[in-house]
Amino acid sequence: MAHMRLLGGAILEDEPGVVHPLASRRHPLALLALLATAPSHRLSRDTLLALLWPESPEGKARSRLNTCVHQIRSALGREVLESIGDDLRLDPDVIRCDVCEFEEALSREDRVTAIALYQGPFLDGFHLGGAPGFMDRIDRERDRLQRSYDRAVETLAEEAEERGEPEVAAEWWRERWNEDPYDSRVALRLMEALDAAGNRAAALRIADEHRRLLHDELDADPSAELREFAAGLREKRWEPDPSATGGSDDGSDAGSSVPAGPVRPVGRFGRRTPFAGIALLGLVAVAVAGDRPGRNGAAHELYQRARHLDRNPLVGSWVTDSKIELYRRALEIDPSYAEAWGGLADAYLERAWGGRSASWADSAVAASRRALEIDPTLADAHAQLGDVAFTSGRTEEALSAYRRALDLEPGNMEAMNNMVALLYQSGRIAEAMEWADRVHRRFPLSPWPLRVLVHLNLALGRDEVAEAWLQRHVKRSGKGVEERIARNLAFDAALFGHGDPDRAGEVLRAIQKGDVGLDVIRRRAALALYEGRWKEARRHYRALYPGVNKGKSPFQGLLWSPLGLAYAMDRMGEDEEAEEIVREVTRDSRSRIEAERSQGDLLHRLAGARLLAGDVDGAIGLLERSFDGGYRDARFLRTVPVLEALRDDPRFQALLDRMEGERAEERRRVEAEGWGVPEE
């Protein structure tokens, strides 16, 4: 399905990163944009003539409109434009549009998704000569959409403040300030949130940057309220900060005098982390980078544009390439910009994880080291060196780098997140629990550690403790994206943790009331597979994974989606396509295993593919290899339908027994230390 991206530019794509040839033709693209944003996606031909060819005689203008319609139908299919009397209507089921997705997300109060879709002003940089009516209409639409975006961001910030989550509120106010750094009201709200989060120094940096921008570019001064608040911060800036006094309750080094930076809210789309494919852990990277006073304005603008792309939900090579280009341009202007070097390293890592070439990991290391030469205290650069070591299988080196990052910035959630994931993947669940417990004590209002503690306790078989954490998460989540995350978590715990399809079905029915997106389809597919409803499972998995050489979907890379489809087809006797999918999964998994050292999910996927191909010995060998790498979740392997053919194999049973023995030892350690238990 073609996709129009009109927020932040004017791009028509066949698929993410592949520009459609029609995108180079301005009038057809303008026509599509008008219909996509019109009520009911419908406008009269007379209106279109007046907007697009106002200076042409009517006969000539109608001929040009007919030519445009023909070009669009030839390129995208006749059904894309429907003639209804003298009106033209765009079929939204044939061509997607980010503006429509943005407004649909707002209508269901999914503000996080809407904000992620908003990549810039409507039709930014698009111009149609000789069509002043069209440009006026675009300006009005641009202002309307900008106001909707601004309201959505401020609503999320204010909701976070009401929940007592100043770190989250600060990041949303930062998002709003990045869009309009000249607005003293917004700058003041960001400063207030940063101060409430214990990050007074960052609040003062915002005050200085805002003052500089107004003075240099507008010859104006900040509001009296902002100047007064900044003066008050400077008077008390050297007072002890109770949120960063150093040391934690257990005498560990989790605390320090460095105040924690704001945490990116759940649901934001950052870069792909090394463990993004873990089916049950489901952790979210939440790195945050600030800016420094006196930074070159042009370089800083390029840096901020690259950071904005980090939140793009359509993760793909075109996003990564754009970030690399922006960071490089920023560094051409200011080679001493340490944060830009760190961002460049981050983007290089995305390329390395995308399987393009191992040399990108080397480039990431070089960029991270350059960042540290400029600023040895840059925690993100240490975390990125840890990421490279993580994906290269150098566990202790990675853990050391993450610990260094956390020494410098105890609130660096990316380092903490990846450390917990690495410990979990290595079978060191007790240590992962210790760190997750530590994060929860430091950030008691953050939802991230609650989710992790659910997963870790499930992995240790502490179901009652996991349920207690889950209920706490549900209670705190309220409405919106966190509520959906909590419900999804409850579904995953019921089906993948407990192997209880009945309970999972109850949760799914609650989820479906407010969300019928791809995430729900994935869970419908999994539940149908667990319950043996093969036809229904096939239908849902087909929506997630069109099949070999049949296009891509956002969920094509999920661990069990292609195999789920193949397994359902195999059970229905549709052997030919099932075998074709298995061959594709095998090729893809092997190529990724060669490129990555973090292989747990890949080994399981390849094991499932080998089993469907009839290679029982190969499947067991791969599962044993994952056990040697630290995998311990015997309950998931016991219940997942794709591995059903191994249920009675004594070698498989012996492997599960070994997993459970190791898990029991980890559980004894956790319980002896008292980690991972909700406080009263």
Side-chain angles (χ1 to χ4, degrees):
M1 179 187 293
H3 185 207
M4 279 195 297
R5 293 194 288 113
L6 307 179
L7 295 172
I11 299 175
L12 179 64
E13 297 175 321
D14 279 325
E15 57 183 273
V18 181
V19 178
H20 195 287
L22 194 64
S24 62
R25 299 179 178 178
R26 287 190 169 271
H27 276 89
L29 193 58
L31 175 58
L32 288 171
L34 287 170
L35 293 174
T37 55
S40 303
H41 308 293
R42 177 174 174 173
L43 288 172
S44 70
R45 292 176 183 266
D46 287 341
T47 298
L48 292 170
L49 295 177
L51 290 172
L52 297 175
W53 297 281
E55 298 177 359
S56 298
E58 182 178 355
K60 190 171 185 178
R62 286 192 177 275
S63 175
R64 289 176 171 172
L65 176 59
N66 291 337
T67 298
C68 270
V69 170
H70 175 73
Q71 290 173 342
I72 292 169
R73 285 173 170 167
S74 297
L76 300 174
R78 183 167 185 81
E79 66 277 10
V80 68
L81 292 180
E82 180 183 6
S83 294
I84 306 174
D86 194 46
D87 291 357
L88 280 176
R89 177 183 176 274
L90 180 71
D91 188 342
D93 293 329
V94 177
I95 183 170
R96 295 166 51 222
C97 177
D98 59 354
V99 174
C100 301
E101 294 165 345
F102 171 78
E103 298 199 288
E104 288 166 3
L106 288 179
S107 69
R108 61 177 186 267
E109 298 188 351
D110 185 357
R111 297 182 182 89
V112 173
T113 297
I115 289 166
L117 286 165
Y118 191 89
Q119 293 298 301
F122 177 61
L123 284 178
D124 193 23
F126 185 86
H127 182 76
L128 199 64
F134 171 80
M135 297 308 299
D136 287 344
R137 187 182 182 109
I138 294 308
D139 287 341
R140 291 194 300 272
E141 188 72 1
R142 182 176 296 148
D143 290 343
R144 183 184 69 81
L145 292 169
Q146 180 72 56
R147 289 193 300 271
S148 296
Y149 166 80
D150 292 345
R151 284 195 301 271
V153 175
E154 294 192 15
T155 298
L156 287 173
E158 290 166 351
E159 288 176 348
E161 291 171 339
E162 292 172 1
R163 294 194 304 269
E165 298 179 358
E167 298 94 347
V168 176
E171 184 60 14
W172 286 124
W173 282 118
R174 186 183 293 276
E175 171 86 8
R176 179 70 179 86
W177 185 73
N178 286 339
E179 287 293 321
D180 190 1
Y182 304 96
D183 190 327
S184 287
R185 179 187 66 85
V186 173
L188 177 58
R189 295 297 298 270
L190 171 57
M191 292 168 60
E192 291 171 339
L194 288 168
D195 181 49
N199 206 343
R200 191 175 303 138
L204 287 170
R205 287 198 298 271
I206 293 298
D208 292 339
E209 178 72 4
H210 179 64
R211 178 195 56 77
R212 185 189 64 79
L213 284 171
L214 292 182
H215 180 270
D216 293 351
E217 300 186 28
L218 301 179
D219 195 23
D221 293 318
S223 68
E225 294 86 354
L226 187 147
R227 295 198 304 271
E228 181 179 349
F229 187 73
L233 290 181
R234 289 189 173 91
E235 289 176 4
K236 63 179 182 179
R237 69 181 300 174
W238 301 116
E239 294 178 4
D241 187 345
S243 70
T245 55
S248 59
D249 294 341
D250 62 356
S252 69
D253 60 353
S256 84
S257 59
V258 182
V263 176
R264 179 174 295 176
V266 172
R268 306 297 294 279
F269 289 80
R271 65 176 177 82
R272 181 182 183 268
T273 57
F275 49 89
I278 296 178
L280 295 186
L281 205 54
L283 309 181
V284 179
V286 286
V288 176
D291 49 74
R292 293 177 175 184
R295 176 64 59 198
N296 181 285
H300 183 61
E301 171 63 22
L302 292 165
Y303 172 82
Q304 290 293 349
R305 285 169 59 189
R307 292 289 294 172
H308 194 74
L309 283 176
D310 268 332
R311 304 172 180 115
N312 196 311
L314 298 174
V315 177
S317 60
W318 69 272
V319 178
T320 303
D321 292 345
S322 297
K323 286 190 289 188
I324 289 174
E325 175 64 20
L326 289 167
Y327 285 130
R328 283 174 172 170
R329 287 167 57 192
L331 289 166
E332 287 174 1
I333 297 170
D334 186 354
S336 66
Y337 200 161
E339 289 89 346
W341 281 109
L344 184 61
D346 202 63
Y348 283 156
L349 280 173
E350 286 184 8
R351 274 195 165 181
W353 292 328
R356 293 192 177 188
S357 171
S359 64
W360 291 112
D362 297 333
S363 298
V365 170
S368 295
R369 288 177 176 165
R370 179 66 182 122
L372 292 174
E373 288 174 5
I374 299 168
D375 182 2
T377 68
L378 192 61
D380 280 345
H382 287 284
Q384 286 149 8
L385 289 175
D387 292 346
V388 174
F390 186 160
T391 53
S392 300
R394 303 193 301 274
T395 299
E396 294 306 322
E397 182 182 333
L399 292 174
S400 177
Y402 292 143
R403 291 188 183 106
R404 177 59 178 150
L406 292 166
D407 285 342
L408 293 166
E409 186 185 328
N412 190 301
M413 293 296 287
E414 179 182 343
M416 185 71 75
N417 187 18
N418 291 9
M419 174 177 281
V420 171
L422 177 53
L423 291 168
Y424 176 88
Q425 285 191 358
S426 303
R428 296 155 65 170
I429 303 177
E431 292 179 65
M433 186 79 78
E434 178 188 10
W435 280 96
D437 212 21
R438 190 178 298 182
V439 179
H440 174 64
R441 287 196 303 273
R442 185 172 180 85
F443 303 104
L445 297 178
S446 173
W448 176 80
L450 298 181
R451 284 181 253 138
V452 176
L453 287 163
V454 172
H455 289 305
L456 293 177
N457 278 289
L458 281 174
L460 291 178
R462 303 206 304 173
D463 295 346
E464 292 183 2
V465 180
E467 181 65 23
W469 285 116
L470 178 59
Q471 292 307 317
R472 179 167 298 196
H473 184 33
V474 171
K475 183 178 180 180
R476 289 186 181 177
S477 62
K479 299 294 182 182
V481 66
E482 275 300 317
E483 179 186 30
R484 288 195 300 280
I485 290 172
R487 286 178 172 177
N488 290 342
L489 187 61
F491 175 93
D492 294 347
L495 191 62
F496 306 129
H498 298 295
D500 185 350
D502 292 338
R503 173 60 184 151
E506 293 175 8
V507 176
L508 184 59
R509 285 189 286 275
I511 294 175
Q512 291 176 153
K513 291 179 181 178
D515 187 356
V516 292
L518 291 172
D519 215 33
V520 168
I521 296 174
R522 180 167 69 91
R523 287 173 169 82
R524 286 175 179 169
L527 183 60
L529 203 69
Y530 270 71
E531 293 183 332
R533 294 180 278 115
W534 315 123
K535 186 174 181 180
E536 185 177 345
R538 180 186 62 178
R539 175 165 56 87
H540 293 315
Y541 277 124
R542 181 65 85 191
L544 299 172
Y545 176 80
V548 179
N549 299 323
K550 294 182 180 178
K552 297 181 179 180
S553 82
F555 284 91
Q556 186 167 358
L558 278 181
L559 176 59
W560 298 112
S561 290
L563 286 181
L565 177 60
Y567 183 73
M569 288 179 159
D570 180 75
R571 296 303 298 263
M572 296 175 67
E574 300 174 359
D575 299 337
E576 186 174 345
E577 187 172 357
E579 291 172 359
E580 189 178 9
I581 294 172
V582 165
R583 286 193 292 271
E584 184 192 43
V585 170
T586 300
R587 287 193 301 270
D588 177 71
S589 299
R590 285 176 172 166
S591 65
R592 290 177 182 272
I593 286 171
E594 291 175 1
E596 301 178 22
R597 297 295 182 89
S598 176
Q599 299 173 349
D601 58 330
L602 296 172
L603 291 170
H604 296 156
R605 183 167 67 165
L606 184 55
R610 297 316 307 146
L611 191 60
L612 286 174
D615 183 4
V616 174
D617 292 343
I620 290 179
L622 289 163
L623 293 174
E624 288 175 338
R625 185 172 159 188
S626 75
F627 170 77
D628 293 338
Y631 189 80
R632 300 291 183 265
D633 196 350
R635 291 198 299 184
F636 179 61
L637 298 184
R638 284 189 190 279
T639 60
V640 65
V642 174
L643 300 181
E644 183 179 9
L646 294 179
R647 298 286 184 262
D648 298 327
D649 192 296
R651 294 169 298 173
F652 184 60
Q653 293 299 325
L655 176 61
L656 296 179
D657 291 342
R658 290 167 61 198
M659 286 185 181
E660 289 176 344
E662 294 285 343
R663 185 185 68 175
E665 184 59 35
E666 292 289 310
R667 176 170 176 167
R668 279 192 290 272
R669 182 180 172 192
V670 166
E671 292 177 345
E673 298 290 345
W675 295 326
V677 178
E679 66 277 7
E680 295 297 331

